[in-house]
Amino acid sequence: MGREAQITQTFVELADTFVKDFDVVDFLHQLTVRCREILAVTDAAVLLAHPGERLHSPAPCDPSPAFQEVIAAALAQGPALDAYRTATAQIPTRQVQARTRWPTFTAQTRAAGYHYTCALPMRLREDILGSLLLLRTAARPLPAADLALAQAFADAATLGLLHAHTREHQEMVNQQLHTALHSRIVIEQAKGILAARRNTSLNHAFNAIRHHARNHGKLLTTVARDVIDHELLASPDGQRTDTASE
């Protein structure tokens, strides 16, 4: 698929929040996946401030300890937190600027192998939900065209989430956001378990979980718990190995 087609598909995905079985965790994960696929970034993470004022990391991401430490640092200091608080993009032009403004966060990202980071607000007019953190192993700033596209993705995702809140399933979306941090932990555990069972990569394991959730109209978290508790997807055909009912 060409880049233009990928961009078009991404905007379609980010607008698709009116489905009955809308899964906010899957939605946010797709945003980070598309950023890595389309933009000149190594990794991406969504940080949301719902519920409450503190930022959380609800979307499944790279489970490596180094990246998890970067995310933990980003919740306390750095461009993602400032983008949320100011509702403006945080785009340092030189690494020395980042070291001066966010010394602890910058030291953590350097230790993890990232040499440039920036963040964009997830906002719509007066509503700001969080921020989109972008990380590069290259020391050069992100190209201006990619920054503009990333902001468009963040804006589309924000619009989609706010629209989801106005629908009949607002209570369900709020509950998903409320439990998203725990959900991410459950999904990461399921990815690791399934990858070990199938002797495959974490990405392939997650894709299997996501495919099963979409095919059966279930939330990612529900399928992840079944993988952990009932050996769902233990075999490549997606069946359980025990007698638990579907």
Side-chain angles (χ1 to χ4, degrees):
M1 182 185 299
R3 189 170 190 264
E4 290 187 3
Q6 284 184 306
I7 292 172
T8 300
Q9 180 179 346
T10 300
F11 282 115
V12 170
E13 291 171 344
L14 294 176
D16 190 21
T17 60
F18 295 102
V19 295
K20 182 179 179 180
D21 56 348
F22 173 63
D23 188 335
V24 67
V25 177
D26 185 26
F27 176 80
L28 295 173
H29 171 76
Q30 273 301 97
L31 173 59
T32 63
V33 168
R34 295 307 183 198
C35 286
R36 291 196 303 269
E37 291 176 346
I38 298 171
L39 307 176
V41 300
T42 307
D43 277 308
V46 175
L47 305 179
L48 292 185
H50 183 94
E53 294 294 325
R54 297 180 59 186
L55 288 177
H56 304 276
S57 175
C61 55
D62 182 350
S64 69
F67 191 73
Q68 296 300 329
E69 290 174 4
V70 167
I71 297 302
L75 300 178
Q77 181 192 87
L81 186 59
D82 284 2
Y84 165 64
R85 287 176 171 172
T86 65
T88 59
Q90 301 297 308
I91 308 169
T93 57
R94 297 191 306 274
Q95 190 64 15
V96 65
Q97 289 182 307
R99 288 198 299 268
T100 301
R101 293 176 63 185
W102 312 300
T104 303
F105 171 78
T106 303
Q108 195 66 64
T109 57
R110 290 294 296 272
Y114 303 106
H115 295 277
Y116 181 82
T117 59
C118 63
L120 305 169
M122 294 183 65
R123 69 180 189 281
L124 179 66
R125 300 184 183 89
E126 300 302 316
D127 292 307
I128 177 163
L129 304 184
S131 59
L132 175 64
L133 177 65
L134 305 173
L135 307 100
R136 304 186 76 194
T137 54
R140 299 182 305 277
L142 200 63
D146 278 15
L147 277 172
L149 183 56
Q151 184 65 73
F153 285 166
D155 291 345
T158 303
L159 180 61
L161 288 172
L162 290 174
H163 275 182
H165 277 239
T166 66
R167 297 284 291 175
E168 294 178 356
H169 59 308
Q170 175 179 354
E171 182 177 348
M172 179 270 289
V173 174
N174 284 336
Q175 182 62 30
Q176 286 191 51
L177 285 170
H178 183 75
T179 61
L181 185 60
H182 176 67
S183 297
R184 183 173 68 83
I185 295 171
V186 171
I187 292 168
E188 298 296 353
Q189 290 176 339
K191 282 166 56 178
I193 290 171
L194 188 58
R197 286 175 184 163
R198 292 190 173 186
N199 191 27
T200 189
S201 70
L202 291 170
N203 283 339
H204 285 156
F206 179 77
N207 286 338
I209 293 171
R210 186 167 180 264
H211 180 74
H212 187 90
R214 290 197 163 194
N215 281 353
H216 292 79
K218 294 185 176 182
L219 298 179
L220 279 173
T221 310
T222 301
V223 176
R225 288 197 179 101
D226 277 348
V227 168
I228 296 170
D229 297 335
H230 303 299
E231 297 190 10
L232 178 67
L233 300 174
S235 59
D237 61 1
Q239 300 302 312
R240 303 173 192 264
T241 57
D242 62 3
T243 58
S245 60
E246 186 66 57

